[in-house]
Amino acid sequence: MMTTTAMKAALLASALLIASQASAQQTQKFTATKANEYGLTYTLPVTMLDISIETERIDREPGEFYNYSKKYLGIDPVMTPSTEWKLRSVTVNPRGEAPGDNAERYLIKFKAGSTPFVLLTSDGLPVSINSEIDYQPAPVPNPVPVNVKPEISVLKRPEARQAMTEDMLQAQSTAKRAELAAARIFELRQSRSDIISGQADNMPSDGAAMQLVLDNLARQEAALTAMFTGTEIHSTEVHTVPFRPDGDIDGDSQTATVGRISVVDGLVESDDLSGEPVTITIDIIERGEMPVNDKGETLRFPKNGVAYNIPGRARVTAGYMGRELFSQEMEIAQLGITFGLDPAIFTDKKAPASLLFYPTTGAIKELSTAK
């Protein structure tokens, strides 16, 4: 079993791979000629779901005067150092991916003497036929959160040093320093009140100067207060887990655990029972079906046909501890079937057709007369 650190490293590598696939994907043009016997091959994509799990880390540290927080400020302080993880959000985005080494490859046989062409990605997935559009990865429909680094503790900022008086620095005992710190907090509050009410001996010259002074007083008070109550630092991490829906779902629904959230370790493996499961449920709305003619008869796959997918539709739901964190309808290639177009339409001398594919499903995006 992988350790938590190893899992996070693997998830990071997976996320980098997904990002590199989207940004570095290149296309190559293949033309039907006598040399390849007017035949071109490609594979159709399967639909992957990129599940972005956003977790929040909370680091708590007690202050120097935590034993005196209740006495002087009436506030319950942080008593011991701790780290806590929470799940913030789950975002799901579909992505087309090559099925793998054992994927079925489709051969298009064009009319001899013609010169249709196909644009394929580096993975052998079709982008277009008879159209030299620039390949653009499908835009991510659902924005993914970004990592948020932890802020600098208020006790390590310049205001913390400014708030320390000479008497506090010279005091020999913690109890005395706490007493002086509490007195200083109330002095700062009184100074702020005097400025706001216009009673201060040295009033700021204008509104902007007043705001600067008030902000500085507030920061000093926050630093001194944190010496009693402790600090709580928040940060977030986002990990993207790839998930491949099963095309042979037994029934109309599939649920899988894609990770778990541990209060101590954050995102852990799906089989690590130290955490609560994050689940993905695929509820099938409609399966792709073979097209029929006007009489309702199922059409046959054309000889040497240009293969494309007719995907199915499903509602994709992310759940955690009884809460629904994401829900959206999506087209999924594996829930459909593969059909084909007559290759002759792409070699018509008067009006050859052009075809654009959806990159996430391999379905027809646009079929029109080539320009």
Side-chain angles (χ1 to χ4, degrees):
M1 181 181 296
M2 295 172 65
T3 64
T4 301
T5 301
M7 182 196 178
K8 290 188 176 182
L11 289 172
L12 176 60
S14 175
L16 291 174
L17 176 61
I18 292 168
S20 66
Q21 287 173 338
S23 62
Q25 190 72 276
Q26 300 293 324
T27 60
Q28 188 172 354
K29 180 179 178 180
F30 296 89
T31 302
T33 64
K34 185 176 181 180
N36 53 32
E37 298 181 349
Y38 301 98
L40 299 173
T41 61
Y42 59 85
T43 60
L44 289 171
V46 294
T47 304
M48 298 291 295
L49 300 180
D50 290 336
I51 303 164
S52 298
I53 301 173
E54 180 190 23
T55 53
E56 179 180 20
R57 173 173 172 157
I58 306 170
D59 291 299
R60 299 183 179 90
E61 287 286 341
E64 179 184 358
F65 308 135
Y66 72 92
N67 279 330
Y68 304 92
S69 179
K70 195 72 174 176
K71 176 181 178 181
Y72 289 117
L73 303 182
I75 300 174
D76 292 324
V78 175
M79 301 295 290
T80 57
S82 67
T83 297
E84 178 187 4
W85 288 88
K86 295 181 179 180
L87 178 64
R88 290 195 64 177
S89 69
V90 178
T91 307
V92 183
N93 282 295
R95 170 175 55 88
E97 182 177 279
D101 295 338
N102 297 323
E104 184 174 357
R105 298 185 66 81
Y106 298 95
L107 171 66
I108 317 172
K109 291 288 288 186
F110 292 106
K111 181 180 178 181
S114 62
T115 57
F117 61 90
V118 177
L119 288 185
L120 302 180
T121 69
S122 56
D123 294 331
L125 302 177
V127 174
S128 64
I129 298 177
N130 283 350
S131 177
E132 300 218 46
I133 62 168
D134 291 331
Y135 175 79
Q136 294 294 332
V140 176
N142 302 303
V144 177
V146 297
N147 294 340
V148 176
K149 294 182 178 180
E151 294 184 351
I152 299 174
S153 169
V154 65
L155 296 178
K156 296 181 180 179
R157 295 175 185 168
E159 304 86 72
R161 293 189 295 272
Q162 295 173 13
M164 298 289 288
T165 66
E166 184 176 353
D167 288 341
M168 290 171 61
L169 294 171
Q170 293 178 351
Q172 298 298 311
S173 69
T174 302
K176 185 60 177 177
R177 287 197 298 276
E179 180 184 351
L180 293 170
R184 179 60 177 158
I185 288 174
F186 292 111
E187 288 177 10
L188 292 170
R189 291 177 180 175
Q190 185 61 51
S191 296
R192 184 171 65 249
S193 177
D194 290 344
I195 292 173
I196 293 173
S197 63
Q199 307 268 334
D201 293 335
N202 297 307
M203 287 294 295
S205 58
D206 55 32
M210 177 185 290
Q211 191 60 54
L212 286 174
V213 173
L214 291 175
D215 289 345
N216 184 263
L217 292 175
R219 288 192 292 267
Q220 290 187 49
E221 181 184 341
L224 288 171
T225 302
M227 294 177 186
F228 290 90
T229 61
T231 58
E232 187 173 282
I233 305 297
H234 295 250
S235 59
T236 64
E237 291 184 6
V238 180
H239 297 282
T240 298
V241 181
F243 175 73
R244 179 171 172 172
D246 187 355
D248 298 321
I249 297 176
D250 185 14
D252 295 327
S253 183
Q254 171 191 11
T255 298
T257 298
V258 294
R260 290 175 180 266
I261 305 300
S262 164
V263 175
V264 176
D265 296 317
L267 180 63
V268 296
E269 292 179 87
S270 58
D271 60 354
D272 187 337
L273 299 184
S274 68
E276 294 291 334
V278 178
T279 60
I280 289 293
T281 299
I282 312 294
D283 290 313
I284 299 175
I285 298 172
E286 179 183 28
R287 290 185 182 271
E289 297 179 349
M290 295 290 284
V292 296
N293 60 20
D294 295 339
K295 298 180 180 180
E297 299 169 336
T298 301
L299 298 177
R300 293 186 178 183
F301 194 98
K303 183 179 180 181
N304 301 322
V306 177
Y308 66 93
N309 282 332
I310 300 176
R313 288 190 307 117
R315 176 161 291 278
V316 178
T317 304
Y320 177 72
M321 296 184 69
R323 292 183 289 139
E324 185 180 284
L325 299 178
F326 178 92
S327 184
Q328 193 173 96
E329 287 188 20
M330 297 182 181
E331 290 192 334
I332 298 176
Q334 298 90 289
L335 300 181
I337 56 93
T338 300
F339 196 61
L341 297 171
D342 186 345
I345 65 174
F346 297 98
T347 57
D348 186 291
K349 291 183 178 181
K350 293 183 179 180
S354 66
L355 172 64
L356 303 181
F357 291 86
Y358 278 110
T360 56
T361 62
I364 294 176
K365 182 177 183 180
E366 181 181 324
L367 179 64
S368 60
T369 301
K371 298 180 181 179

